Amino acid sequence: MQFKEQSITYPPVHPGTDRTFIRYYDRNTDFSYVFFKDHSEQTPARIFVTDSNVAQTSLFQSFYHHFSSEAVLLKHTVEKSGNDTLIIVDPGESHKTIETVLSIISTALNCNAQRNTVFIGIGGGVICDMTAFAASIFKRGSRVELVPTTLLSMVDAAIGGKTGCDFDNYKNMIGTFFPAQKIHIFPAFIKSLSSEQFRSGLAEVVKTALLYNSDLFTILEQNRDRVFKQEESFIDNIIETCASAKSRIVEQDLTENNIRMQLNFGHTFGHALETCAGLGTVSHGDAVAWGIGRALALSKRLGLCPGEYEQRVVKMLSEYGWEIASVHSALKQQFTNTATYAQTLCEVMKKDKKNNSNRIRFILQKNITDTVIAEVEESDILAVLSHD
Ligand SMILES: NC(=O)c1ccc[n+]([C@@H]2O[C@H](COP(=O)([O-])OP(=O)(O)OC[C@H]3O[C@@H](n4cnc5c(N)ncnc54)[C@H](O)[C@@H]3O)[C@@H](O)[C@H]2O)c1
Protein backbone atom coordinates (compact mmCIF):
# COMPACT_ATOMS: atom_id res chain seq x y z
CA MET A 1 0.00 0.00 0.00
CA GLN A 2 1.37 3.39 -0.97
CA PHE A 3 0.19 6.70 0.27
CA LYS A 4 1.27 10.28 0.67
CA GLU A 5 1.06 11.77 4.14
CA GLN A 6 0.84 15.37 5.22
CA SER A 7 0.61 16.64 8.78
CA ILE A 8 -1.06 19.71 10.18
CA THR A 9 0.50 21.22 13.27
CA TYR A 10 -1.64 23.08 15.79
CA PRO A 11 -0.74 25.40 18.61
CA PRO A 12 -1.29 23.87 22.07
CA VAL A 13 -4.99 23.70 22.73
CA HIS A 14 -6.38 25.50 25.73
CA PRO A 15 -10.04 24.57 25.70
CA GLY A 16 -12.25 27.03 27.50
CA THR A 17 -9.59 29.21 28.99
CA ASP A 18 -5.89 29.13 29.76
CA ARG A 19 -6.36 30.46 33.29
CA THR A 20 -8.83 29.83 36.10
CA PHE A 21 -9.29 32.21 38.99
CA ILE A 22 -10.53 30.67 42.24
CA ARG A 23 -12.13 33.11 44.66
CA TYR A 24 -12.65 32.09 48.28
CA TYR A 25 -15.29 34.35 49.81
CA ASP A 26 -15.77 34.72 53.52
CA ARG A 27 -18.90 33.39 55.14
CA ASN A 28 -20.58 36.80 55.39
CA THR A 29 -20.47 37.59 51.69
CA ASP A 30 -23.82 37.97 49.98
CA PHE A 31 -23.41 35.78 46.96
CA SER A 32 -26.05 37.55 44.87
CA TYR A 33 -24.19 40.86 45.39
CA VAL A 34 -21.10 39.30 43.79
CA PHE A 35 -23.05 38.62 40.60
CA PHE A 36 -25.25 41.69 40.44
CA LYS A 37 -23.27 44.59 41.87
CA ASP A 38 -21.60 45.67 38.61
CA HIS A 39 -23.82 43.92 36.14
CA SER A 40 -25.49 45.94 33.43
CA GLU A 41 -27.46 45.22 30.27
CA GLN A 42 -24.28 45.90 28.31
CA THR A 43 -22.25 43.05 29.79
CA PRO A 44 -22.42 39.63 28.06
CA ALA A 45 -25.56 37.62 28.69
CA ARG A 46 -25.43 35.01 31.44
CA ILE A 47 -27.13 31.66 31.73
CA PHE A 48 -27.29 30.54 35.37
CA VAL A 49 -27.96 26.85 35.93
CA THR A 50 -28.91 25.38 39.27
CA ASP A 51 -31.06 22.60 40.70
CA SER A 52 -34.28 22.75 42.68
CA ASN A 53 -32.57 21.87 46.00
CA VAL A 54 -30.02 24.65 45.71
CA ALA A 55 -32.78 27.06 44.63
CA GLN A 56 -34.46 26.39 47.98
CA THR A 57 -31.47 27.17 50.19
CA SER A 58 -31.63 30.36 52.23
CA LEU A 59 -28.40 31.65 50.66
CA PHE A 60 -29.98 31.44 47.23
CA GLN A 61 -33.05 33.52 48.05
CA SER A 62 -31.55 36.98 47.60
CA PHE A 63 -30.15 35.81 44.27
CA TYR A 64 -33.49 34.38 43.25
CA HIS A 65 -35.19 37.69 43.88
CA HIS A 66 -33.34 39.16 40.92
CA PHE A 67 -35.41 36.86 38.74
CA SER A 68 -38.72 36.57 40.48
CA SER A 69 -40.78 38.45 42.98
CA GLU A 70 -41.44 35.29 44.96
CA ALA A 71 -38.79 32.84 46.01
CA VAL A 72 -40.69 29.64 45.42
CA LEU A 73 -39.63 26.21 44.31
CA LEU A 74 -40.21 25.77 40.62
CA LYS A 75 -38.95 22.75 38.75
CA HIS A 76 -37.70 22.93 35.17
CA THR A 77 -38.01 26.65 35.51
CA VAL A 78 -36.60 29.17 33.12
CA GLU A 79 -36.64 32.70 34.45
CA LYS A 80 -35.54 35.80 32.54
CA SER A 81 -34.22 39.00 34.01
CA GLY A 82 -32.75 41.47 31.52
CA ASN A 83 -30.02 39.61 29.69
CA ASP A 84 -29.74 36.95 32.40
CA THR A 85 -31.49 33.59 32.39
CA LEU A 86 -31.90 31.19 35.29
CA ILE A 87 -32.49 27.52 34.56
CA ILE A 88 -33.54 25.23 37.40
CA VAL A 89 -33.21 21.50 36.72
CA ASP A 90 -34.06 18.42 38.75
CA PRO A 91 -31.41 17.51 41.33
CA GLY A 92 -29.11 14.56 41.78
CA GLU A 93 -27.04 11.98 39.96
CA SER A 94 -30.08 10.38 38.32
CA HIS A 95 -30.57 13.63 36.36
CA LYS A 96 -26.94 13.90 35.27
CA THR A 97 -27.99 12.89 31.78
CA ILE A 98 -27.47 13.98 28.21
CA GLU A 99 -31.16 14.97 28.17
CA THR A 100 -30.59 17.52 30.94
CA VAL A 101 -27.49 18.85 29.17
CA LEU A 102 -29.48 19.20 25.93
CA SER A 103 -32.28 20.98 27.77
CA ILE A 104 -29.74 23.56 29.00
CA ILE A 105 -28.45 24.01 25.46
CA SER A 106 -31.92 24.29 24.03
CA THR A 107 -32.84 26.99 26.56
CA ALA A 108 -29.62 28.83 25.73
CA LEU A 109 -30.53 28.77 22.05
CA ASN A 110 -34.05 29.99 22.76
CA CYS A 111 -32.55 32.87 24.74
CA ASN A 112 -30.32 33.79 21.80
CA ALA A 113 -27.17 32.99 23.71
CA GLN A 114 -23.95 33.68 21.82
CA ARG A 115 -20.40 32.39 22.12
CA ASN A 116 -19.60 35.19 24.55
CA THR A 117 -22.50 34.18 26.81
CA VAL A 118 -21.27 33.00 30.19
CA PHE A 119 -22.77 29.78 31.56
CA ILE A 120 -22.67 29.85 35.36
CA GLY A 121 -23.33 26.59 37.20
CA ILE A 122 -24.47 27.00 40.81
CA GLY A 123 -24.66 23.64 42.52
CA GLY A 124 -22.93 20.44 43.47
CA GLY A 125 -20.72 18.32 41.24
CA VAL A 126 -23.68 17.29 39.10
CA ILE A 127 -24.62 20.87 38.17
CA CYS A 128 -20.99 21.96 37.78
CA ASP A 129 -20.16 19.02 35.47
CA MET A 130 -23.29 19.46 33.32
CA THR A 131 -23.18 23.26 33.06
CA ALA A 132 -19.53 23.21 32.03
CA PHE A 133 -20.26 20.43 29.53
CA ALA A 134 -23.12 22.41 27.99
CA ALA A 135 -20.87 25.49 27.79
CA SER A 136 -18.09 23.47 26.17
CA ILE A 137 -20.24 22.21 23.29
CA PHE A 138 -22.54 25.22 22.85
CA LYS A 139 -21.55 26.82 19.54
CA ARG A 140 -18.25 24.85 19.81
CA GLY A 141 -17.48 26.39 23.17
CA SER A 142 -18.61 29.44 25.09
CA ARG A 143 -17.56 30.49 28.60
CA VAL A 144 -18.15 29.00 32.00
CA GLU A 145 -17.94 30.01 35.65
CA LEU A 146 -18.82 27.77 38.58
CA VAL A 147 -20.26 28.28 42.04
CA PRO A 148 -19.82 24.95 43.86
CA THR A 149 -22.39 24.54 46.63
CA THR A 150 -21.46 21.16 48.13
CA LEU A 151 -18.29 20.37 50.04
CA LEU A 152 -17.48 17.81 47.36
CA SER A 153 -17.71 20.29 44.52
CA MET A 154 -15.71 22.95 46.45
CA VAL A 155 -12.78 20.65 47.17
CA ASP A 156 -12.89 18.67 43.96
CA ALA A 157 -15.55 18.62 41.23
CA ALA A 158 -15.54 22.31 40.28
CA ILE A 159 -11.77 22.39 39.88
CA GLY A 160 -9.86 21.04 36.93
CA GLY A 161 -12.07 21.35 33.88
CA LYS A 162 -13.56 17.85 33.68
CA THR A 163 -17.11 18.18 32.41
CA GLY A 164 -19.74 15.66 31.44
CA CYS A 165 -22.71 13.51 32.24
CA ASP A 166 -23.49 9.85 32.82
CA PHE A 167 -24.63 7.63 29.99
CA ASP A 168 -26.19 4.19 29.82
CA ASN A 169 -25.81 3.85 33.62
CA TYR A 170 -22.03 4.44 33.37
CA LYS A 171 -20.50 7.37 35.22
CA ASN A 172 -19.24 10.36 33.26
CA MET A 173 -19.07 8.46 29.96
CA ILE A 174 -19.59 11.59 27.88
CA GLY A 175 -17.68 14.80 28.44
CA THR A 176 -14.92 17.23 27.66
CA PHE A 177 -12.04 19.05 29.31
CA PHE A 178 -13.17 22.66 29.59
CA PRO A 179 -11.91 24.65 32.58
CA ALA A 180 -13.98 27.42 34.12
CA GLN A 181 -12.74 30.99 33.90
CA LYS A 182 -13.73 31.65 37.48
CA ILE A 183 -14.66 29.43 40.41
CA HIS A 184 -16.47 31.24 43.23
CA ILE A 185 -16.31 29.38 46.54
CA PHE A 186 -18.86 30.43 49.17
CA PRO A 187 -18.31 28.02 52.09
CA ALA A 188 -21.57 29.30 53.64
CA PHE A 189 -23.45 27.05 51.21
CA ILE A 190 -22.27 24.06 53.24
CA LYS A 191 -24.61 24.94 56.10
CA SER A 192 -27.67 23.66 54.27
CA LEU A 193 -26.14 20.30 53.30
CA SER A 194 -27.50 17.19 54.97
CA SER A 195 -24.99 15.30 57.11
CA GLU A 196 -24.83 12.60 54.38
CA GLN A 197 -23.97 15.15 51.70
CA PHE A 198 -21.37 16.72 53.96
CA ARG A 199 -19.77 13.34 54.66
CA SER A 200 -19.80 12.58 50.93
CA GLY A 201 -17.61 15.65 50.36
CA LEU A 202 -15.30 14.63 53.18
CA ALA A 203 -14.36 11.51 51.23
CA GLU A 204 -12.66 13.64 48.58
CA VAL A 205 -10.94 15.55 51.39
CA VAL A 206 -9.59 12.27 52.76
CA LYS A 207 -8.47 11.29 49.26
CA THR A 208 -6.59 14.57 48.85
CA ALA A 209 -4.96 14.16 52.26
CA LEU A 210 -3.79 10.61 51.51
CA LEU A 211 -2.41 11.65 48.12
CA TYR A 212 -0.75 14.97 48.95
CA ASN A 213 -0.92 16.08 52.54
CA SER A 214 -0.13 13.72 55.41
CA ASP A 215 -0.53 16.56 57.95
CA LEU A 216 -4.11 17.04 56.80
CA PHE A 217 -4.75 13.33 57.29
CA THR A 218 -3.45 13.53 60.86
CA ILE A 219 -5.65 16.58 61.47
CA LEU A 220 -8.67 14.63 60.21
CA GLU A 221 -7.79 11.65 62.43
CA GLN A 222 -7.44 13.85 65.51
CA ASN A 223 -10.33 16.28 64.99
CA ARG A 224 -13.34 14.25 64.02
CA ASP A 225 -15.63 16.23 66.34
CA ARG A 226 -14.57 19.61 64.93
CA VAL A 227 -15.15 18.22 61.44
CA PHE A 228 -18.60 16.87 62.26
CA LYS A 229 -19.52 20.08 64.07
CA GLN A 230 -18.49 21.85 60.88
CA GLU A 231 -16.43 24.42 62.74
CA GLU A 232 -16.38 27.23 60.22
CA SER A 233 -12.77 28.43 60.04
CA PHE A 234 -11.54 24.84 60.41
CA ILE A 235 -13.65 23.67 57.44
CA ASP A 236 -12.85 26.77 55.37
CA ASN A 237 -9.13 26.03 55.77
CA ILE A 238 -9.66 22.45 54.70
CA ILE A 239 -11.53 23.61 51.60
CA GLU A 240 -8.74 25.97 50.59
CA THR A 241 -6.04 23.35 51.25
CA CYS A 242 -7.79 20.74 49.11
CA ALA A 243 -8.78 23.11 46.31
CA SER A 244 -5.18 24.35 46.12
CA ALA A 245 -3.79 20.81 46.09
CA LYS A 246 -6.04 19.85 43.19
CA SER A 247 -5.23 23.10 41.37
CA ARG A 248 -1.50 22.35 41.47
CA ILE A 249 -2.10 18.89 39.96
CA VAL A 250 -4.43 19.92 37.12
CA GLU A 251 -2.11 22.78 36.28
CA GLN A 252 0.55 20.18 35.44
CA ASP A 253 -1.71 17.71 33.65
CA LEU A 254 -5.08 19.07 32.60
CA THR A 255 -6.01 16.21 30.30
CA GLU A 256 -5.00 13.39 32.65
CA ASN A 257 -2.07 11.89 30.80
CA ASN A 258 0.06 11.28 33.87
CA ILE A 259 0.02 12.86 37.35
CA ARG A 260 -3.71 13.73 37.33
CA MET A 261 -4.56 10.03 37.20
CA GLN A 262 -3.68 9.88 40.89
CA LEU A 263 -6.85 11.82 41.65
CA ASN A 264 -8.79 8.70 40.68
CA PHE A 265 -7.62 7.02 43.90
CA GLY A 266 -10.61 5.03 45.17
CA HIS A 267 -12.65 5.90 42.08
CA THR A 268 -12.27 2.72 40.02
CA PHE A 269 -13.86 0.65 42.78
CA GLY A 270 -16.15 3.53 43.73
CA HIS A 271 -17.58 4.13 40.25
CA ALA A 272 -18.24 0.39 39.85
CA LEU A 273 -20.17 0.41 43.15
CA GLU A 274 -22.19 3.44 42.05
CA THR A 275 -23.04 1.79 38.74
CA CYS A 276 -23.96 -1.61 40.22
CA ALA A 277 -26.11 -0.05 42.95
CA GLY A 278 -27.82 2.18 40.36
CA LEU A 279 -26.57 5.74 39.87
CA GLY A 280 -27.69 7.99 42.72
CA THR A 281 -28.18 5.12 45.21
CA VAL A 282 -24.79 5.39 46.93
CA SER A 283 -23.40 8.95 47.11
CA HIS A 284 -20.26 9.61 45.10
CA GLY A 285 -18.22 10.34 48.22
CA ASP A 286 -19.38 7.27 50.11
CA ALA A 287 -18.49 5.17 47.08
CA VAL A 288 -15.04 6.80 46.88
CA ALA A 289 -14.39 6.22 50.60
CA TRP A 290 -15.28 2.54 50.20
CA GLY A 291 -13.10 2.48 47.06
CA ILE A 292 -10.13 3.90 48.98
CA GLY A 293 -10.48 1.03 51.46
CA ARG A 294 -10.51 -1.51 48.62
CA ALA A 295 -7.59 0.16 46.81
CA LEU A 296 -5.50 -0.07 49.98
CA ALA A 297 -6.54 -3.70 50.52
CA LEU A 298 -5.29 -4.31 46.97
CA SER A 299 -2.06 -2.39 47.67
CA LYS A 300 -1.46 -4.56 50.73
CA ARG A 301 -2.27 -7.78 48.87
CA LEU A 302 0.23 -6.90 46.14
CA GLY A 303 2.91 -6.28 48.78
CA LEU A 304 3.06 -2.59 47.97
CA CYS A 305 2.01 -1.12 51.29
CA PRO A 306 2.55 -2.29 54.88
CA GLY A 307 -0.46 -3.66 56.74
CA GLU A 308 -0.10 -0.92 59.39
CA TYR A 309 -0.74 1.80 56.82
CA GLU A 310 -3.82 0.07 55.47
CA GLN A 311 -5.11 -0.48 59.02
CA ARG A 312 -4.54 3.17 59.94
CA VAL A 313 -6.65 4.38 57.02
CA VAL A 314 -9.35 1.74 57.51
CA LYS A 315 -9.65 2.75 61.18
CA MET A 316 -10.10 6.40 60.23
CA LEU A 317 -12.65 5.56 57.51
CA SER A 318 -14.76 3.48 59.86
CA GLU A 319 -14.56 6.09 62.65
CA TYR A 320 -16.00 8.59 60.19
CA GLY A 321 -18.83 6.18 59.43
CA TRP A 322 -17.82 4.86 56.02
CA GLU A 323 -18.23 1.25 54.99
CA ILE A 324 -15.04 -0.73 54.79
CA ALA A 325 -16.26 -4.32 54.27
CA SER A 326 -15.37 -5.91 50.91
CA VAL A 327 -19.04 -6.59 50.18
CA HIS A 328 -20.80 -3.21 50.31
CA SER A 329 -24.19 -3.24 52.07
CA ALA A 330 -25.83 -1.46 49.10
CA LEU A 331 -25.27 -4.62 47.02
CA LYS A 332 -25.89 -7.29 49.67
CA GLN A 333 -29.49 -7.89 48.64
CA GLN A 334 -28.72 -7.87 44.93
CA PHE A 335 -25.91 -10.44 45.30
CA THR A 336 -26.23 -13.26 47.76
CA ASN A 337 -23.22 -14.97 46.17
CA THR A 338 -19.90 -13.19 46.86
CA ALA A 339 -18.19 -14.63 43.76
CA THR A 340 -20.91 -13.24 41.45
CA TYR A 341 -20.74 -9.90 43.27
CA ALA A 342 -16.98 -9.64 42.77
CA GLN A 343 -17.17 -10.74 39.14
CA THR A 344 -19.94 -8.23 38.33
CA LEU A 345 -18.04 -5.30 39.84
CA CYS A 346 -14.94 -6.42 37.96
CA GLU A 347 -16.79 -6.46 34.62
CA VAL A 348 -18.08 -2.94 35.28
CA MET A 349 -14.55 -1.76 36.09
CA LYS A 350 -13.34 -3.04 32.72
CA LYS A 351 -15.58 -0.42 31.10
CA ASP A 352 -13.88 2.37 33.07
CA LYS A 353 -12.72 5.00 30.62
CA LYS A 354 -9.30 5.14 32.24
CA ASN A 355 -8.31 1.68 31.01
CA ASN A 356 -6.30 1.46 27.82
CA SER A 357 -6.60 -2.31 27.47
CA ASN A 358 -8.79 -4.98 28.97
CA ARG A 359 -6.67 -4.92 32.12
CA ILE A 360 -7.91 -2.68 34.87
CA ARG A 361 -5.73 0.20 35.98
CA PHE A 362 -5.67 1.18 39.65
CA ILE A 363 -4.23 3.97 41.70
CA LEU A 364 -2.47 2.26 44.61
CA GLN A 365 -0.29 3.41 47.47
CA LYS A 366 2.98 2.28 49.03
CA ASN A 367 2.33 4.63 51.92
CA ILE A 368 0.70 7.97 52.65
CA THR A 369 1.49 10.42 49.76
CA ASP A 370 3.48 7.65 48.00
CA THR A 371 1.23 6.70 45.09
CA VAL A 372 1.67 4.33 42.15
CA ILE A 373 -0.40 3.42 39.10
CA ALA A 374 -0.62 -0.25 38.18
CA GLU A 375 -2.53 -2.67 35.99
CA VAL A 376 -3.63 -5.53 38.16
CA GLU A 377 -4.47 -9.22 37.56
CA GLU A 378 -8.16 -10.02 37.78
CA SER A 379 -7.58 -12.69 40.45
CA ASP A 380 -6.20 -10.04 42.84
CA ILE A 381 -9.15 -7.73 42.23
CA LEU A 382 -11.62 -10.53 42.82
CA ALA A 383 -9.80 -11.44 46.03
CA VAL A 384 -10.14 -7.97 47.60
CA LEU A 385 -13.81 -7.86 46.62
CA SER A 386 -14.44 -11.19 48.32
CA HIS A 387 -12.41 -11.01 51.54
CA ASP A 388 -11.96 -8.30 54.16
N1 LIG B 1 -15.49 17.08 37.39
C1 LIG B 1 -14.79 16.51 38.36
O1 LIG B 1 -13.55 16.61 38.38
C2 LIG B 1 -15.49 15.75 39.43
C3 LIG B 1 -14.78 15.33 40.57
C4 LIG B 1 -15.49 14.67 41.60
C5 LIG B 1 -16.84 14.41 41.44
N2 LIG B 1 -17.48 14.81 40.30
C6 LIG B 1 -18.91 14.55 40.13
O2 LIG B 1 -19.61 15.26 41.14
C7 LIG B 1 -20.85 14.60 41.39
C8 LIG B 1 -21.07 14.53 42.88
O3 LIG B 1 -21.14 15.83 43.38
P1 LIG B 1 -22.04 16.21 44.63
O4 LIG B 1 -21.77 15.26 45.73
O5 LIG B 1 -21.85 17.64 44.86
O6 LIG B 1 -23.49 15.81 44.11
P2 LIG B 1 -24.79 16.67 43.70
O7 LIG B 1 -24.44 17.76 42.78
O8 LIG B 1 -25.80 15.67 43.24
O9 LIG B 1 -25.25 17.28 45.08
C9 LIG B 1 -25.72 16.43 46.11
C10 LIG B 1 -27.11 16.85 46.56
O10 LIG B 1 -26.98 18.05 47.32
C11 LIG B 1 -27.91 19.05 46.84
N3 LIG B 1 -27.27 20.31 47.13
C12 LIG B 1 -26.27 20.94 46.46
N4 LIG B 1 -25.86 22.02 47.13
C13 LIG B 1 -26.64 22.12 48.24
C14 LIG B 1 -26.68 23.01 49.33
N5 LIG B 1 -25.82 24.03 49.46
N6 LIG B 1 -27.61 22.79 50.29
C15 LIG B 1 -28.47 21.75 50.21
N7 LIG B 1 -28.46 20.85 49.20
C16 LIG B 1 -27.55 21.04 48.23
C17 LIG B 1 -28.08 18.70 45.39
O11 LIG B 1 -29.31 19.21 44.91
C18 LIG B 1 -28.08 17.19 45.43
O12 LIG B 1 -29.35 16.70 45.78
C19 LIG B 1 -20.77 13.25 40.72
O13 LIG B 1 -21.57 13.24 39.58
C20 LIG B 1 -19.30 13.11 40.35
O14 LIG B 1 -19.11 12.33 39.19
C21 LIG B 1 -16.84 15.47 39.30
Side-chain angles (χ1 to χ4, degrees):
M1 185 175 63
Q2 286 194 332
F3 58 86
K4 272 185 168 177
E5 189 174 62
Q6 186 186 22
S7 73
I8 312 174
T9 310
Y10 304 103
V13 176
H14 294 293
T17 183
D18 60 2
R19 180 171 291 206
T20 299
F21 293 91
I22 306 183
R23 293 188 184 163
Y24 303 91
Y25 297 91
D26 68 37
R27 294 242 178 184
N28 301 322
T29 312
D30 174 356
F31 113 96
S32 74
Y33 178 76
V34 169
F35 288 99
F36 287 99
K37 71 174 181 328
D38 295 326
H39 196 67
S40 75
E41 297 281 317
Q42 277 69 52
T43 47
R46 302 179 297 183
I47 308 260
F48 294 97
V49 182
T50 193
D51 71 35
S52 50
N53 288 338
V54 178
Q56 279 187 96
T57 61
S58 56
L59 215 61
F60 198 82
Q61 300 316 302
S62 63
F63 180 88
Y64 198 71
H65 277 100
H66 287 274
F67 294 88
S68 158
S69 52
E70 281 177 28
V72 289
L73 168 65
L74 292 166
K75 285 190 177 177
H76 298 296
T77 304
V78 179
E79 299 262 347
K80 275 292 273 177
S81 162
N83 58 356
D84 290 329
T85 303
L86 171 65
I87 305 174
I88 304 177
V89 301
D90 283 333
E93 192 70 39
S94 58
H95 294 101
K96 192 180 177 185
T97 59
I98 190 68
E99 287 77 20
T100 309
V101 174
L102 293 178
S103 76
I104 296 168
I105 288 176
S106 150
T107 306
L109 272 176
N110 288 337
C111 297
N112 282 327
Q114 305 298 324
R115 287 182 80 180
N116 70 349
T117 297
V118 193
F119 287 70
I120 304 177
I122 307 170
V126 166
I127 290 295
C128 291
D129 281 8
M130 286 196 299
T131 307
F133 183 33
S136 76
I137 55 176
F138 183 75
K139 299 196 174 178
R140 296 211 175 87
S142 50
R143 300 197 280 160
V144 65
E145 295 184 17
L146 297 172
V147 183
T149 62
T150 58
L151 178 61
L152 190 142
S153 55
M154 292 178 198
V155 299
D156 194 345
I159 298 154
K162 275 192 187 178
T163 85
C165 63
D166 304 330
F167 189 71
D168 212 9
N169 200 33
Y170 286 98
K171 289 275 300 173
N172 303 328
M173 271 295 144
I174 310 176
T176 55
F177 287 99
F178 199 78
Q181 293 187 325
K182 287 182 194 156
I183 299 167
H184 307 264
I185 299 185
F186 297 89
F189 266 113
I190 286 176
K191 270 190 176 168
S192 50
L193 293 176
S194 68
S195 53
E196 288 77 22
Q197 285 157 356
F198 180 75
R199 198 185 57 186
S200 176
L202 278 179
E204 299 284 11
V205 172
V206 172
K207 178 196 80 177
T208 308
L210 293 176
L211 289 175
Y212 305 116
N213 192 330
S214 54
D215 289 346
L216 176 59
F217 189 68
T218 309
I219 289 170
L220 293 170
E221 284 179 310
Q222 294 174 351
N223 292 280
R224 194 186 58 166
D225 288 351
R226 292 176 80 187
V227 173
F228 281 158
K229 275 188 206 141
Q230 301 188 19
E231 230 180 81
E232 292 187 356
S233 62
F234 187 72
I235 297 296
D236 296 359
N237 272 331
I238 288 179
I239 292 171
E240 203 173 321
T241 303
C242 292
S244 302
K246 182 164 181 188
S247 305
R248 296 290 81 84
I249 297 301
V250 298
E251 198 163 52
Q252 296 169 62
D253 179 25
L254 175 68
T255 50
E256 200 173 283
N257 297 310
N258 47 70
I259 192 172
R260 186 173 182 168
M261 288 182 201
Q262 295 176 347
L263 294 170
N264 296 314
F265 185 43
H267 283 59
T268 307
F269 284 108
H271 280 169
L273 170 62
E274 283 184 83
T275 294
C276 286
L279 295 183
T281 309
V282 180
S283 77
H284 180 70
D286 284 356
V288 167
W290 175 80
I292 289 174
R294 288 304 91 206
L296 287 180
L298 190 54
S299 305
K300 189 179 81 175
R301 181 180 168 85
L302 297 174
L304 286 171
C305 84
E308 300 81 61
Y309 174 54
E310 188 234 6
Q311 278 315 306
R312 178 184 172 195
V313 178
V314 161
K315 178 169 177 280
M316 185 270 183
L317 293 174
S318 66
E319 280 173 3
Y320 269 73
W322 282 301
E323 288 207 27
I324 46 163
S326 56
V327 180
H328 194 281
S329 65
L331 296 179
K332 268 196 174 142
Q333 277 203 323
Q334 197 174 325
F335 298 99
T336 42
N337 179 314
T338 308
T340 320
Y341 160 86
Q343 196 64 53
T344 308
L345 280 172
C346 215
E347 290 307 317
V348 172
M349 283 187 240
K350 285 183 188 160
K351 281 231 161 96
D352 196 298
K353 58 197 171 309
K354 281 131 203 156
N355 300 321
N356 284 332
S357 62
N358 220 15
R359 297 185 69 186
I360 306 173
R361 188 184 285 172
F362 287 93
I363 314 303
L364 303 173
Q365 284 202 308
K366 293 182 176 175
N367 214 322
I368 192 158
T369 70
D370 188 355
T371 307
V372 288
I373 300 174
E375 288 185 349
V376 177
E377 294 296 335
E378 193 164 319
S379 55
D380 290 313
I381 304 165
L382 293 174
V384 298
L385 287 169
S386 315
H387 312 291
D388 290 328

